[in-house]
Amino acid sequence: MENKRFSQRHEKRKEKTNRIYNVLIAVVAVLIVFVGGSLMMNHKDKPADTQTASSEVKKDHKSDSNKSEDKSDKSKADDDQNKDDQSADDQSSDDSTVDDQATEDDQSADDESQDEDKGDVQVTENNDPSSDVDKTVVDPNWKPVGTEQQGEHVATYEKGSTDWNEMLKAVSSATGVSESDMIIWRIGNNGSPQKAVATIESKSQQKKYRVQIDWVDGEGWKPVQMEEMK
């Protein structure tokens, strides 16, 4: 009887112990599941955070890239504008150069035209020490000085006459010596009734000249050669 009671008690204790073990095992299993789930959740969150961070970096990179492109576009636009301005300045400079060249060409043409009108003044130096002539000048631009005489011309070498005064006017135009500054040494025939020669001296310059003049009908006396005397 006692053995039976003892066996029953022993069985009850064994069952009780088994229950405790089962509860502990269940608790451990729950803990394992909980811990495992937590680890999995953390593992999933990290890639999401990493992905978010990567996305932010990409956005920042894209923003920087856009800013860089905007700056590049702006810089390109500025360069294009500078090129356009430079091109306009170059065009203006080219136009100015063309205008200057045209002005120079016109001036050169005017000078050439004047040179053609004037012709070449011939100046001959005389190095002969025995000659009384220092140099001889022939100027194609000399013109007749005009005349008040009418009808057939007759040369007159009388001082104070119209012909005399017109001869002095021609001599003055060749030498540049005014009539009031002249000392008249001689005016006479030069081999023909329509040719004369005059020798004069400048009071102020103390230079002596010999001038040959020819008569041109209706236009007066014209210088043809001027000599500076020694």
Side-chain angles (χ1 to χ4, degrees), residues 85-103:
D85 294 340
Q86 183 64 37
S87 178
D89 292 340
D90 293 341
Q91 183 64 34
S92 177
S93 177
D94 292 340
D95 293 341
S96 177
T97 301
V98 171
D99 292 340
D100 292 341
Q101 184 64 40
T103 302

Side-chain angles (χ1 to χ4, degrees), residues 171-183:
V171 171
S172 177
S173 69
T175 60
V177 179
S178 65
E179 295 179 38
S180 60
D181 190 37
M182 286 184 189
I183 297 174

Side-chain angles (χ1 to χ4, degrees), residues 107-118:
Q107 183 65 35
S108 177
D110 292 340
D111 293 341
E112 290 178 359
S113 177
Q114 292 178 1
D115 290 340
E116 290 177 358
D117 292 340
K118 290 182 178 179

Side-chain angles (χ1 to χ4, degrees), residues 4 23 57 69-71 96 98 100 111 116 122 128 141 144 148 154 158 162 177 187 189 206 216 218-219 221 223:
K4 186 177 181 179
V23 171
V57 170
E69 290 178 358
D70 292 340
K71 289 182 180 179
S96 177
V98 171
D100 292 341
D111 293 341
E116 290 177 358
Q122 299 177 6
D128 185 359
N141 301 295
E148 297 178 358
V154 177
E158 182 181 351
T162 300
V177 179
I187 299 180
N189 184 281
Q206 297 181 349
V216 179
E219 298 182 30
W221 291 98

Side-chain angles (χ1 to χ4, degrees), residues 2-225:
E2 289 181 1
N3 288 332
K4 186 177 181 179
R5 290 179 180 176
F6 178 79
S7 296
Q8 289 177 350
R9 289 178 183 175
H10 180 73
E11 289 294 333
K12 289 181 180 180
R13 287 178 182 176
K14 186 176 180 179
E15 289 177 359
K16 188 176 181 179
T17 301
N18 290 334
R19 288 177 184 174
I20 292 172
Y21 285 156
N22 290 333
V23 171
L24 291 175
I25 291 171
V27 171
V28 171
V30 170
L31 289 175
I32 291 173
V33 172
F34 177 77
V35 172
S38 298
L39 291 175
M40 291 179 66
M41 291 296 294
N42 290 334
H43 181 71
K44 290 181 179 179
D45 291 341
K46 286 183 179 179
D49 294 340
T50 304
Q51 185 176 1
T52 302
S54 177
S55 176
E56 292 295 332
V57 170
K58 289 182 179 180
K59 288 182 180 179
D60 293 340
H61 179 72
K62 184 176 182 181
S63 177
D64 293 339
S65 177
N66 291 336
K67 290 180 180 179
S68 178
E69 290 178 358
D70 292 340
K71 289 182 180 179
S72 178
D73 293 340
K74 185 176 180 181
S75 177
K76 184 177 180 181
D78 292 340
D79 291 340
D80 292 340
Q81 182 63 36
N82 291 333
K83 288 180 180 179
D84 292 339
D85 294 340
Q86 183 64 37
S87 178
D89 292 340
D90 293 341
Q91 183 64 34
S92 177
S93 177
D94 292 340
D95 293 341
S96 177
T97 301
V98 171
D99 292 340
D100 292 341
Q101 184 64 40
T103 302
E104 292 178 359
D105 292 340
D106 293 340
Q107 183 65 35
S108 177
D110 292 340
D111 293 341
E112 290 178 359
S113 177
Q114 292 178 1
D115 290 340
E116 290 177 358
D117 292 340
K118 290 182 178 179
D120 296 331
V121 178
Q122 299 177 6
V123 179
T124 303
E125 301 287 344
N126 192 343
N127 297 320
D128 185 359
S130 62
S131 174
D132 59 352
V133 177
D134 185 28
K135 65 180 178 180
T136 302
V137 179
V138 176
D139 188 348
N141 301 295
W142 285 327
K143 305 294 182 183
V145 295
T147 182
E148 297 178 358
Q149 303 178 61
Q150 297 179 356
E152 185 178 354
H153 174 258
V154 177
T156 303
Y157 304 104
E158 182 181 351
K159 186 176 181 180
S161 66
T162 300
D163 210 34
W164 174 279
N165 293 333
E166 291 178 354
M167 290 179 186
L168 292 182
K169 189 175 180 181
V171 171
S172 177
S173 69
T175 60
V177 179
S178 65
E179 295 179 38
S180 60
D181 190 37
M182 286 184 189
I183 297 174
I184 302 169
W185 290 97
R186 175 182 178 273
I187 299 180
N189 184 281
N190 193 30
S192 166
Q194 308 302 329
K195 295 180 181 293
V197 58
T199 303
I200 62 104
E201 183 178 352
S202 170
K203 298 177 184 178
S204 59
Q205 299 176 4
Q206 297 181 349
K207 287 185 178 181
K208 195 173 183 180
Y209 303 92
R210 183 163 60 211
V211 183
Q212 298 180 29
I213 55 178
D214 290 351
W215 175 261
V216 179
D217 287 337
E219 298 182 30
W221 291 98
K222 172 186 174 182
V224 293
Q225 178 178 287

